[in-house]
Amino acid sequence: MWRTTTALLRALRNEAATHNARLIVLYVPVRFEVNDSVWDLTRERYKLGRHWRREKVFERLEAACTELGVP
């Protein structure tokens, strides 16, 4: 999934550049990423163990954008 996401971001970045524009990514977190009680309920509902980290998606997206030079 992340290879595909990175490839799509790369293609969008390159297409924007051909139009003298820049690609910028804005990340909007879901509730469980910013609210501790919602995170606890989500973990309980889906039987997620302690090894699950709610920041994981953001960190992966940030790493992909950093690799591509996309703010």
Side-chain angles (χ1 to χ4, degrees), residues 14-41:
N14 293 346
E15 181 64 21
T18 67
H19 299 282
N20 201 29
R22 280 184 0 164
L23 175 66
I24 296 174
V25 173
L26 173 68
Y27 181 77
V28 179
V30 294
R31 271 190 291 174
F32 72 75
E33 291 179 275
V34 295
N35 183 306
D36 291 338
S37 60
V38 175
W39 173 238
D40 290 339
L41 289 171

